[in-house]
Amino acid sequence: MKELTKAEEEIMQVLWDLDAAFVKDIIDQLPEPKPAYNTVSTIVRILQQKGFVGHEIQGRFHKYHPLITKEAYTKSLMKGFVKRYFSGSYRQMVSFFTQEDKLSLNELEQLLKELKDKNP
């Protein structure tokens, strides 16, 4: 799966939150300063070409919806990140962040507990 640019990811975050939206609705959800209508429309069309977004026609307008879930994108992004920076080793990644962020033993144990609860 292709990685999104910052602008594309910002648009996808809105679509994931709203499930479906017109360009105007997307703009309404973006922070100030609001991008131009044509800018957002162009980004949405690029997302369509990349296979992230689909649309249905409603009157004169297109209503856009995500074709890929946020979870699927996050999983793909994280796999690529671990592969590129940690030779595909999640153990190396956790070790790096444990040392870098100075995680306490208690925090690490809590993280392990949460992971075990999610994956019995």
Side-chain angles (χ1 to χ4, degrees):
M1 181 179 306
K2 293 182 180 180
E3 206 168 308
L4 298 172
T5 66
K6 184 177 177 181
E8 292 167 348
E9 190 172 326
E10 190 173 31
I11 301 298
M12 286 303 300
Q13 292 290 351
V14 171
L15 286 173
W16 285 323
D17 288 344
L18 297 178
D19 291 324
F22 297 102
V23 171
K24 178 191 166 306
D25 301 326
I26 295 169
I27 294 169
D28 289 344
Q29 297 297 312
L30 295 173
E32 295 290 342
K34 305 281 187 191
Y37 184 96
N38 286 344
T39 301
V40 174
S41 181
T42 298
I43 294 169
V44 171
R45 284 195 308 277
I46 290 168
L47 287 166
Q48 273 193 287
Q49 291 170 354
K50 288 184 172 184
F52 282 86
V53 171
H55 77 275
E56 57 184 62
I57 298 172
Q58 292 189 357
R60 297 180 338 162
F61 300 98
H62 290 93
K63 190 170 191 177
Y64 298 97
H65 58 273
L67 295 175
I68 294 170
T69 66
K70 185 175 184 176
E71 293 77 19
Y73 178 70
T74 302
K75 188 175 188 177
S76 175
L77 185 69
M78 288 306 297
K79 279 185 177 183
F81 175 78
V82 171
K83 185 177 180 181
R84 282 191 307 275
Y85 295 101
F86 299 100
S87 303
S89 170
Y90 286 94
R91 179 177 288 191
Q92 282 182 19
M93 181 187 76
V94 170
S95 176
F96 172 82
F97 285 112
T98 300
Q99 292 171 5
E100 202 55 36
D101 291 338
K102 307 289 189 255
L103 285 176
S104 70
L105 184 56
N106 188 35
E107 290 171 316
L108 194 53
E109 286 173 349
Q110 181 62 34
L111 179 61
L112 287 170
K113 181 185 179 310
E114 290 173 15
L115 289 171
K116 284 180 184 175
D117 290 346
K118 286 184 179 181
N119 301 306

